[in-house]
Amino acid sequence: KIPQVRFKLHGLFGDVPGLLQNLHRIHDWRVELTSGMGVSYSHGPVFDWTSFSLFVTDPAGIRHFLKDKFDNYTKPASERDFMWAGMRAWLGDGIFTARHG
């Protein structure tokens, strides 16, 4: 079982209230939430079933999906997902935004 991040998630809005309170220090906040956990999760509002975040901080886990098992993971087409369209605009068509799998 994957542990939840070290933050009490709001019953209806999930991690959104904490995210909004910590936008000014988002990276430090995420480190605090996941410190000492190789893998952990968080979720957004209960009415948005797509709002799920998986945090991987263990180097072996990162290597697993960026190198060893890269072909096993897919990303949605840009026209279907505005987040990936933004990532592709920012990062280009490299390893982090490639459609594969």
Side-chain angles (χ1 to χ4, degrees):
K1 183 176 176 185
I2 298 173
Q4 180 178 303
V5 295
R6 289 188 187 90
F7 179 74
K8 183 166 175 50
L9 299 175
H10 186 275
L12 182 61
F13 297 110
D15 62 3
V16 174
L19 178 68
L20 293 175
Q21 291 172 348
N22 290 283
L23 274 178
H24 65 285
R25 53 180 229 98
I26 189 69
H27 300 294
D28 292 329
W29 183 62
R30 292 270 168 92
V31 168
E32 291 169 9
L33 296 180
T34 61
S35 179
M37 293 188 273
V39 178
S40 56
Y41 79 93
S42 181
H43 64 81
V46 296
F47 48 84
D48 180 5
W49 62 271
T50 64
S51 182
F52 179 84
S53 298
L54 184 67
F55 300 101
V56 181
T57 59
D58 179 23
I62 294 169
R63 179 182 171 151
H64 169 80
F65 64 83
L66 289 182
K67 183 176 184 268
D68 298 341
K69 300 294 181 179
F70 183 74
D71 292 334
N72 290 356
Y73 301 96
T74 61
K75 295 173 181 68
S78 296
E79 58 274 2
R80 275 193 9 227
D81 189 330
F82 76 92
M83 184 192 107
W84 283 113
M87 293 291 284
R88 198 167 267 123
W90 184 51
L91 295 173
D93 289 323
I95 186 173
F96 295 108
T97 60
R99 177 98 172 118
H100 56 81

